[in-house]
Amino acid sequence: MPAPTVRLRRLAAELRQLRSVADLTREEVAERTGVNVATLYRIETARVRPQARTLAALLDVYGLEEPKRTELMTLLKQSAHRGWLNTFATDLPERYTSYIEFEAEASEVLNYECLFIPGLLQTEGYARAAIEGALPESTRDEIESRVEARMQRQAVLSKEQPLKLWAIVDEAAIRRVVGGRDVMREQLEHLVRITELPTVHLQVIPFNAGAHPGMPGSFVVMNFAEALGPEIVYIDSQAGDLFLEEETDISRYNLVFTHLRAVALSPSASVSLLAATAREH
């Protein structure tokens, strides 16, 4: 099942709240609107995008007035909007486009990577080499489509209200020579420069830190403005991509990230290590 967009999650949360305020059960709403209970459940959990007439019927039952009514009808229209992603609609996996949508709406991202430089911080040369190596069966066009999408994603770091990014990488990610020595030197120098942005923080966990809580695998925690809904954890693995929304999962990964911050080098010491490693190339 495709992951919902951020706006669809917000709409679902608003509808749950409206039904709660109206003190109605799903069965009572179904009886008054003709929308069956199973469909109503899927709408309220952002599993499906309601039709405009269905949303209008629900808002009638809840007695919602202007301007809030127009706000939610507009939100419904926006919930299917992919912006620049329309260019890649047939080239990128559904779960990846969902991830990009979430990332574009997030206010803060906590990203831990074991073996790769975080996508938002990759140079084009590194991105191309990393994608070629990780997806050996992809065609040239598929690789270029992913590279272009990855480069466009990085606009979130320089928009009017830039995304706050806190990235932590294992030293293995900066030592592995992806794309050759020139590509890797360019990548490391880019990391040194981009950490000058006040909204970007980068830490490296050195090899001599020993075992640490991030060794089981990479993950991303996305935080959103209150109106857009709760946090999401994203995990990318060989078994498939996962979006976790349960409070226990979110708490666990936030705690892991806190531990990783503690075992990693400080941001300034990390930049020194990046610069020294770049000079080695």
Side-chain angles (χ1 to χ4, degrees), residues 203-216:
Q203 290 179 268
V204 178
I205 300 177
F207 286 143
N208 62 15
H212 59 77
M215 292 176 71

Side-chain angles (χ1 to χ4, degrees), residues 4-159:
T5 64
V6 171
R7 290 179 177 85
L8 190 57
R9 291 173 76 232
R10 179 187 163 194
L11 179 61
E14 293 272 9
L15 292 174
R16 292 195 303 272
Q17 178 66 19
L18 286 170
R19 183 170 60 79
S20 176
V21 170
D23 195 23
L24 295 170
T25 65
R26 288 198 183 100
E27 288 74 15
E28 289 170 332
V29 173
E31 185 177 340
R32 297 187 189 190
T33 62
V35 179
N36 69 57
V37 174
T39 298
L40 184 58
Y41 169 78
R42 290 195 291 271
I43 290 171
E44 288 189 351
T45 54
R47 264 63 172 181
V48 298
R49 181 174 176 269
Q51 295 182 343
R53 65 174 180 271
T54 300
L55 179 58
L58 293 173
L59 300 184
D60 286 342
V61 168
Y62 301 145
L64 193 66
E65 299 179 351
E66 299 294 355
K68 189 67 174 180
R69 185 184 182 95
T70 295
E71 178 185 329
L72 294 191
M73 295 300 291
T74 300
L75 191 60
L76 174 63
K77 294 177 183 177
Q78 294 175 339
S79 67
H81 180 62
R82 290 177 179 266
W84 60 266
L85 275 172
N86 283 326
T87 307
F88 305 95
T90 59
D91 297 325
L92 300 178
E94 179 66 36
R95 303 292 283 188
Y96 184 43
T97 57
S98 294
Y99 174 84
I100 295 173
E101 288 168 353
F102 283 133
E103 183 181 73
E105 297 285 357
S107 58
E108 180 185 43
V109 164
L110 309 178
N111 186 186
Y112 165 68
E113 294 290 342
C114 312
L115 298 172
F116 290 100
I117 302 300
L120 288 176
L121 303 180
Q122 292 179 7
T123 63
E124 184 173 340
Y126 180 97
R128 183 172 289 106
I131 292 168
E132 287 176 347
L135 302 172
E137 296 181 359
S138 296
T139 66
R140 175 55 54 187
D141 287 345
E142 289 170 340
I143 290 171
E144 290 306 315
S145 181
R146 282 178 175 264
V147 171
E148 187 177 353
R150 189 162 298 181
M151 294 300 100
Q152 292 204 37
R153 279 173 53 200
Q154 297 177 6
V156 297
L157 298 177
S158 57
K159 61 184 181 179

